[in-house]
Amino acid sequence: MLQNAEKMDQPVKTQAEYTALLHTVLGARYGDAPRAFVHTYGCQGNVADGERIKGMLAEMGYLFTDTVESADLVLYNTCAVREHAEDRVFGNVGALKNRKAARPGMVVALCGCMMQQPRVAEKIRRSYPFVDLVFGTHVIHRLPELLYRTLCGRNRVFELPDEAGSITEGLPVVRDSSFKAFLPVMYGCNNFCSYCIVPYVRGRERSRMVEAVLEEARSLVEAGYRDITLLGQNVNSYGKDLETPVPFAQLLREINAIPGDFRIRFMTSHPKDCTRELLDAMADCEKVAKHLHLPFQSGNDRVLKEMNRRYTREQYLELIRYARQVMPELSLTSDVIVGFPGETYEAFQDTLSLVEEVGFSARGNARCQNARPRFPGGKGQMVPRIDRFAGARCQRAQSKAAGQAVSCACGGAGQKSRPSGRAHRGQPRDRISRRRFTDWRVCGGCGNRGARVDITRPNGNMTKSYFHCENRLQAERLHSASLRACRTAFGIKFRVL
């Protein structure tokens, strides 16, 4: 065990040497403390990676900025799960071309799941010659070395190994919140669902040692964090690859035993690996939030088999029944894919019936995998339909909590509304006011429930008023019919932020 610990510490010692060298290099290159702009796309696992990236940059001497304009280093931590996230990355990176030309000393770096795909890395190599550094998910701990090579060498650096290495402990972390923390307990996935890219960009499952997880959890509690989320691409599989296997339920109980006033959450779970022992541990541990995010993806057994999910509808429902038996107050959320290739309208109805039978506590994530012409209304209507269907059931479930007193954590003020409209080039800019939910009607573009949006001129006079889709301002759930209708109504080219 001691020899293994020494091997795990060795990469950190090497990177610490590069960090010390970078202090000298950055001082000579920029004079004052350089500034870094770090932006993360995607899941909580990516956010946790981004916090470690910022921790290493802080040790190198970087300060952080919220704007690209003042940054000496621009780093995008990318996501490969959704096409829209990829499009945003390409657009944002392309916008850096002129900025890089004006400031040759600026370093542009890309990392994350998206870069782990060979086609993406090759596109960056050929079409974005101003990108200086590209590295994958398996070498994040080597950032000091890679940045040193970038600053001191003449060639661009592409470090994209196919194989996942060992887990490196002891990396510095700059967390985004002062009370809520993400605690990775494992990396990678062995499930290979037919629609998912995660095993190819994150590698096979690798669990952290129990002692390392407990040590980090204790340090978080001592630092005053009240909400700790245990992370893993398939967190239920934790410990299966350790020399002495440790069930995730046991890890949960050990973290729960740490003294202090805090709450424990975990994600993401897979129904195949969600056991009764885990549900019993959730029920027994007073610090574990009684919330379970358990994606079902489809309510049809044939579609589940084609997705390679390795459980059936009835097995999922049996888990839910047992979970509610041991935790009557349990809050349930889920993910679902509609329009999966080969899915029929009857299979889609099975998904709706599962949503009805389970009665989820809140809406999860619904996304459309593929357009199938045989669906009434087509692709554009499937996600809104299941969203409305689930939303009505969620309202019913949430109404049961009326009048109850519960403990909660406040994370701060919400984001201010942002304008999402722009006039055609050469015309006065219009702006879209914040959506008002007091007056609901039907969206003229897609028939979905809509909210009033006022279009005003810079002088303050309202010129247009339109009831459009509730999801209009959410880029990932944008309905093309609504967009076309808005363009026709206003003569405005919309830009989604």
Side-chain angles (χ1 to χ4, degrees):
M1 184 67 72
L2 183 59
Q3 291 179 346
N4 290 338
E6 290 176 353
K7 288 180 181 178
M8 292 173 70
D9 287 343
Q10 192 59 40
V12 178
K13 292 178 182 176
T14 303
Q15 299 309 313
E17 294 171 358
Y18 279 110
T19 299
L21 289 172
L22 279 167
H23 274 284
T24 305
V25 173
L26 293 173
R29 186 182 179 98
Y30 299 110
D32 297 331
R35 297 183 179 274
F37 173 84
V38 180
H39 185 78
T40 295
Y41 299 86
C43 67
Q44 291 86 348
N46 253 24
V47 173
D49 287 346
E51 292 177 339
R52 281 153 177 77
I53 287 171
K54 287 194 283 189
M56 288 184 280
L57 290 174
E59 285 203 341
M60 297 174 205
Y62 278 95
L63 302 177
F64 297 103
T65 176
D66 294 329
T67 62
V68 173
E69 291 78 8
S70 60
D72 300 298
L73 167 66
V74 176
L75 188 149
Y76 288 120
N77 184 20
T78 63
C79 170
V81 173
R82 296 187 178 182
E83 184 180 10
H84 179 71
E86 290 195 7
D87 292 341
R88 287 174 63 194
V89 169
F90 284 126
N92 288 333
V93 173
L96 295 175
K97 181 178 180 179
N98 293 335
R99 209 169 291 281
K100 171 80 171 181
R103 294 183 59 193
M106 184 177 72
V107 175
V108 179
L110 303 175
C111 67
C113 296
M114 190 174 159
M115 297 304 110
Q116 203 65 45
Q117 302 174 85
R119 64 170 182 84
V120 173
E122 187 58 29
K123 180 175 181 178
I124 296 294
R125 191 190 302 271
R126 289 186 290 103
S127 303
Y128 299 83
F130 53 89
V131 174
D132 304 292
L133 171 60
V134 176
F135 59 100
T137 57
H138 307 316
V139 292
I140 287 176
H141 63 282
R142 291 175 52 198
L143 176 59
E145 172 195 347
L146 301 175
L147 192 54
Y148 180 81
R149 286 166 50 190
T150 301
L151 292 172
C152 297
R154 295 184 177 181
N155 298 322
R156 304 161 72 195
V157 176
F158 281 70
E159 194 70 26
L160 303 163
D162 292 332
E163 295 297 325
S166 60
I167 296 174
T168 302
E169 300 288 355
L171 295 179
V173 183
V174 173
R175 300 192 186 275
D176 296 334
S177 171
S178 59
F179 80 96
K180 182 176 181 179
F182 293 125
L183 173 52
V185 300
M186 65 173 296
Y187 301 91
C189 182
N190 291 349
N191 286 317
F192 289 92
C193 299
S194 60
Y195 55 82
C196 186
I197 198 172
V198 168
Y200 302 96
V201 296
R202 286 283 180 176
R204 294 301 188 95
E205 291 173 359
R206 307 174 309 285
S207 301
R208 296 177 65 186
M209 301 296 292
V210 176
E211 296 80 6
V213 175
L214 293 178
E215 181 182 350
E216 186 171 350
R218 290 191 196 99
S219 67
L220 290 172
V221 174
E222 291 170 1
Y225 287 89
R226 297 297 187 91
D227 196 309
I228 300 175
T229 303
L230 311 181
L231 295 180
Q233 272 74 36
N234 182 19
V235 74
N236 302 146
S237 292
Y238 172 82
K240 293 182 179 180
D241 61 313
L242 295 176
E243 188 175 344
T244 303
V246 178
F248 181 62
Q250 180 181 331
L251 178 69
L252 213 56
R253 292 181 186 275
E254 294 194 31
I255 296 176
N256 185 77
I258 296 174
D261 180 16
F262 62 98
R263 184 173 295 173
I264 306 167
R265 307 179 189 274
F266 60 88
M267 63 186 313
T268 295
S269 300
H270 194 296
K272 172 180 68 70
D273 300 306
C274 185
T275 63
R276 291 195 171 198
E277 290 75 17
L278 173 59
L279 299 175
D280 289 337
M282 289 182 64
D284 296 341
C285 297
E286 71 282 359
K287 295 173 184 173
V288 175
K290 302 305 181 278
H291 167 251
L292 181 62
H293 184 77
L294 195 63
F296 69 90
Q297 303 301 7
S298 175
N300 180 269
D301 286 342
R302 180 186 61 81
V303 175
L304 287 172
K305 185 175 181 180
E306 292 180 358
M307 290 179 173
N308 195 33
R309 293 291 286 175
R310 286 176 281 179
Y311 59 84
T312 64
R313 173 193 177 101
E314 184 54 37
Q315 288 171 338
Y316 183 89
L317 291 173
E318 178 59 32
L319 271 177
I320 299 302
R321 285 192 284 267
Y322 183 77
R324 285 189 164 142
Q325 176 185 327
V326 297
M327 293 175 286
E329 74 279 26
L330 181 67
S331 168
L332 271 169
T333 54
S334 190
D335 296 339
V336 56
I337 294 175
V338 296
F340 188 80
E343 182 181 12
T344 63
Y345 185 68
E346 290 71 24
F348 176 61
Q349 292 295 320
D350 289 341
T351 296
L352 291 178
S353 68
L354 188 143
V355 173
E356 171 73 28
E357 185 170 350
V358 172
F360 293 99
S361 309
R363 289 189 239 188
N365 298 315
R367 55 196 174 102
C368 197
Q369 181 74 13
N370 188 33
R372 310 304 295 172
R374 55 177 165 271
F375 279 91
K379 170 183 175 181
Q381 294 299 312
M382 295 169 63
V383 173
R385 181 173 176 183
I386 198 167
D387 223 14
R388 292 194 302 271
F389 190 84
R393 275 92 195 140
C394 293
Q395 263 189 340
R396 224 159 46 203
Q398 292 168 357
S399 64
K400 297 177 183 177
Q404 296 181 14
V406 296
S407 62
C408 64
C410 297
Q415 293 183 350
K416 296 180 180 179
S417 60
R418 300 172 62 187
S420 62
R422 174 177 288 181
H424 283 299
R425 186 173 296 177
Q427 297 180 4
R429 290 189 60 166
D430 291 357
R431 64 180 183 273
I432 298 181
S433 68
R434 188 170 181 174
R435 291 178 295 171
R436 294 183 293 185
F437 294 95
T438 54
D439 194 358
W440 292 99
R441 295 186 187 176
V442 174
C443 171
C446 66
N448 200 12
R449 189 172 71 160
R452 181 189 296 275
V453 172
D454 298 331
I455 305 299
T456 61
R457 291 291 177 185
N459 61 11
N461 296 327
M462 187 177 73
T463 57
K464 303 283 186 181
S465 184
Y466 183 69
F467 288 88
H468 72 57
C469 178
E470 178 186 5
N471 301 330
R472 167 64 188 84
L473 301 181
Q474 300 182 23
E476 293 174 2
R477 298 159 69 187
L478 178 64
H479 304 305
S480 59
S482 289
L483 183 60
R484 288 195 299 271
C486 289
R487 284 174 175 164
T488 302
F490 307 136
I492 291 175
K493 181 179 180 181
F494 283 90
R495 179 171 65 94
V496 177
L497 301 180

